[in-house]
Amino acid sequence: MNPPAFNELTTQVGKEITENSSFQPPLGLLYIASYLRTQGDHEIRVIDSQVDRLSYEQLKAAIADWRPDIVGLTALTFTMVDVMMTAALVKKIDPDCPVCLGGPHVDIYTQETIRLKHVDFVITKPGESSFSILVKQLEGSRRFDQVPGLSYKDENQDVHSNPQTPTTLTLDDLPFPDRTLLPFQKYYSIMTANRPVGTMVTAKGCPYMCVFCSERGSKPTWRSGRSVAAEMLEAKSIGIKEMFFVDDTFYVKKQASMEISQALIDLHVGMPWGARARVNNLDQGMLEKFRESGCQRLHIGVEAGTDRVLKILQKNITTDQARRAFKLCRDNGINTMAYFIIGNPGETLEDVQATFRLACELEPTTVQFSRMTPMPATELYEMGLRSGLFPDYWREFSRDPLGSIERGFRPKMWTENFSEEELFALADHHTRKFYFRPKYMARSVVAVRSFHDLKRKTRAAVDLFHGTRQSTTRLQKLI
Ligand code: SF4
């Protein structure tokens, strides 16, 4: 179950033009459900409270009607308040129904999470096999010590944690996520006029070392091109019109992304796709192949407008590489989403202005200026702890998400050189300034392809206007 997001933690003022201004299916849940189905005769339902816009009352009715034997919940740090409210709801309906949490938050804060009220089990990644073994144990001898990667409480409420065993399953071994378990027609992205949009995984892990990213230095693994193409064909057969690869970064290995592109061409998949990418290893040959296989957009993290700040971020790219990569994308007719961060370590007001100038120079199709928010399990968070910029507040939050919110908890930004108010103002001012440039507006009008496209762009502009106008007065104090 994907919980509601009414209490999602955010450092954003309003909606912005991002890949998040979309509904993306909870792919991890679909993988768990599809794998579980291969392991026995289970009746499985997947509820995405967010895309179905379920209120807690409606969610309660759905759970009471279904009466599940176990509930699994996706836990992200930013949605932990709603995760805990949903866990409490399940227990209110049926105190004996086990609640199991999995997802990026519990991979980091396993011990804090298993000690929370209403949480019976926590599974760390990879969860597919562990969850199905847990289900078998619940149906049989209840030997929870036999479930790899499981944390649980015994009758005395003492906590036990089993080590996760190295998986022998490759990404190609997993069954394709069964998208029909969800109302797949409802998923969309403000970045594209195609609907519905699906998501999929072609690779996991990233060897790069960006200080703000929890995936830094993780071992990459890839799927074969034929497997990716077969899954896209299956998605196409049920009516999905575009696919976004949610891999940490699609072309970490040139050979793998070229193989996928070639398979999409050879098997005549004919479905538009997008992916996240880096500027340092794009070349003309790759982009030609991407384009030929259906690539329509790349989401690219540039982060900063000076090489000095990029070095501090350990991004391992240069501004010249960014210039070259964005030009290549434009030349090959591939849309781009550029991500920038305001308030990086060591960043001055001049650096922020250089970031804005670079954003304009790159001419991405869309841009996002976010505020630097140190996340758990990142080098940046450790840097903040070491320098005394903040205490270990994410761990504190994880020990009591509901209580933290009642006490006014908010995610902290990197405030070495700017206050939080200034960061909000700077990011919002530059977002607005970027989109309301005459050159950008003229280009967007020329690029309108249909009435639906016009509606989508108008909605994005309205969101943007409402989201940023609150910040302009605050900015006037700064620049
Ligand atoms: S930000 Fe992207 S490139 Fe950098 S470590 Fe994370 S996934 Fe890798």
Side-chain angles (χ1 to χ4, degrees):
M1 191 183 294
N2 198 26
F6 298 120
N7 302 286
E8 188 173 355
L9 303 173
T10 177
T11 57
Q12 296 187 18
V13 166
K15 283 187 193 171
E16 292 164 350
I17 299 183
T18 74
E19 71 183 63
N20 299 326
S21 298
S22 328
F23 277 111
Q24 290 197 351
L27 203 52
L29 284 179
L30 291 185
Y31 267 111
I32 301 265
S34 304
Y35 185 81
L36 181 61
R37 192 186 273 160
T38 66
Q39 302 298 303
D41 187 18
H42 302 105
E43 204 181 330
I44 302 165
R45 278 195 203 172
V46 181
I47 296 177
D48 183 354
S49 316
Q50 294 171 25
V51 81
D52 279 332
R53 299 176 192 276
L54 296 182
S55 65
Y56 274 103
E57 271 311 304
Q58 290 167 319
L59 183 59
K60 188 178 170 190
I63 299 168
D65 178 51
W66 166 233
R67 285 270 165 183
D69 297 318
I70 179 169
V71 168
L73 285 168
T74 305
L76 311 178
T77 299
F78 275 82
T79 59
M80 271 310 283
V81 175
D82 287 296
V83 169
M84 295 316 299
M85 289 173 72
T86 306
L89 195 68
V90 172
K91 292 293 187 184
K92 198 170 171 190
I93 296 162
D94 180 359
D96 295 328
C97 178
V99 170
C100 177
L101 267 54
H105 181 82
V106 310
D107 290 336
I108 302 167
Y109 296 118
T110 315
Q111 295 306 315
E112 287 77 5
T113 309
I114 187 59
R115 286 174 170 79
L116 294 173
K117 195 177 168 190
H118 305 313
V119 176
D120 301 297
F121 301 111
V122 163
I123 287 180
T124 53
K125 69 178 175 186
E128 289 85 3
S129 169
S130 297
F131 189 75
S132 60
I133 298 172
L134 171 63
V135 168
K136 266 190 202 135
Q137 288 298 337
L138 283 166
E139 290 168 335
S141 54
R142 300 178 71 87
R143 289 285 312 275
F144 300 131
D145 59 336
Q146 303 292 308
V147 186
L150 182 77
S151 292
Y152 60 99
K153 296 166 189 152
D154 63 21
E155 317 73 59
N156 304 317
Q157 296 298 299
D158 290 332
V159 167
H160 303 268
S161 292
N162 308 329
Q164 184 57 276
T165 50
T167 180
T168 51
L169 290 171
T170 67
L171 291 176
D172 277 355
D173 292 334
L174 292 172
F176 297 160
D178 180 357
R179 294 176 169 81
T180 61
L181 286 167
L182 286 167
F184 64 87
Q185 304 87 341
K186 293 185 179 175
Y187 294 95
Y188 69 91
S189 166
I190 206 160
M191 304 291 300
T192 172
N194 293 323
R195 279 190 185 209
V197 174
T199 54
M200 66 185 282
V201 172
T202 75
K204 278 190 175 172
C206 176
Y208 291 98
M209 298 299 281
C210 310
V211 294
F212 52 84
C213 178
S214 59
E215 288 302 321
R216 122 193 250 265
S218 52
K219 187 169 173 267
T221 49
W222 293 273
R223 286 175 66 181
S224 66
R226 295 199 84 76
S227 167
V228 171
E231 185 178 331
M232 277 176 81
L233 283 170
E234 184 181 281
K236 190 178 175 184
S237 73
I238 61 169
I240 289 176
K241 297 283 192 302
E242 182 170 327
M243 195 58 84
F244 187 73
F245 301 152
V246 291
D247 317 336
D248 297 321
T249 185
F250 174 60
Y251 55 92
V252 162
K253 190 172 163 194
K254 178 174 177 177
Q255 192 192 338
S257 57
M258 291 293 265
E259 185 197 318
I260 289 171
S261 301
Q262 191 59 51
L264 299 182
I265 296 165
D266 292 347
L267 295 179
H268 308 289
V269 172
M271 181 191 274
W273 60 268
R276 297 180 187 139
R278 285 176 53 94
V279 298
N280 57 314
N281 42 6
L282 275 178
D283 60 42
Q284 176 60 22
M286 280 172 96
L287 285 174
E288 269 173 25
K289 186 68 80 184
F290 285 6
R291 180 73 188 152
E292 191 188 346
S293 67
C295 178
Q296 289 199 345
R297 60 189 164 112
L298 290 175
H299 293 203
I300 304 175
V302 184
E303 327 300 3
T306 66
D307 290 332
R308 184 183 70 81
V309 176
L310 285 171
K311 261 205 179 118
I312 295 173
L313 294 176
Q314 297 180 32
K315 184 74 192 173
N316 202 18
I317 61 169
T318 64
T319 48
D320 276 345
Q321 286 174 328
R323 288 183 183 94
R324 199 181 126 270
F326 277 78
K327 180 172 184 316
L328 276 174
C329 288
R330 273 199 311 280
D331 292 349
N332 285 280
I334 293 176
N335 289 330
T336 46
M337 164 87 185
Y339 297 104
F340 292 94
I341 308 175
I342 305 286
N344 294 302
E347 195 164 78
T348 63
L349 191 54
E350 288 70 42
D351 293 321
V352 174
Q353 286 160 346
T355 295
F356 179 74
R357 282 196 301 276
L358 182 65
C360 297
E361 193 187 335
L362 297 182
E363 289 187 53
T365 320
T366 45
V367 74
Q368 180 190 13
F369 297 99
S370 60
R371 298 150 277 267
M372 179 55 95
T373 308
M375 292 304 293
T378 62
E379 175 58 19
L380 186 69
Y381 190 66
E382 294 301 319
M383 283 160 61
L385 293 179
R386 284 197 297 271
S387 66
L389 193 61
F390 41 71
D392 195 355
Y393 65 95
W394 279 122
R395 190 173 301 282
E396 275 308 307
F397 166 78
S398 305
R399 288 187 181 123
D400 181 14
L402 293 176
S404 299
I405 278 302
E406 278 165 18
R407 292 189 291 275
F409 174 87
R410 278 194 318 135
K412 294 187 193 312
M413 291 171 230
W414 188 266
T415 52
E416 178 192 351
N417 290 332
F418 302 102
S419 68
E420 293 200 352
E421 193 183 37
E422 288 168 343
L423 289 173
F424 270 115
L426 281 168
D428 294 341
H429 169 76
H430 287 109
T431 304
R432 189 183 168 105
K433 199 168 155 193
F434 179 90
Y435 284 112
F436 292 124
R437 284 174 305 142
K439 186 176 176 188
Y440 182 83
M441 292 202 288
R443 195 155 45 95
S444 300
V445 169
V446 170
V448 166
R449 285 172 300 168
S450 62
F451 176 68
H452 180 67
D453 198 28
L454 177 66
K455 228 171 86 182
R456 179 175 63 87
K457 285 180 172 159
T458 307
R459 215 188 80 202
V462 170
D463 281 352
L464 190 69
F465 181 74
H466 285 303
T468 59
R469 75 176 163 180
Q470 307 160 42
S471 301
T472 43
T473 42
R474 283 179 286 184
L475 185 75
Q476 281 157 9
K477 294 180 203 156
L478 186 67
I479 56 179

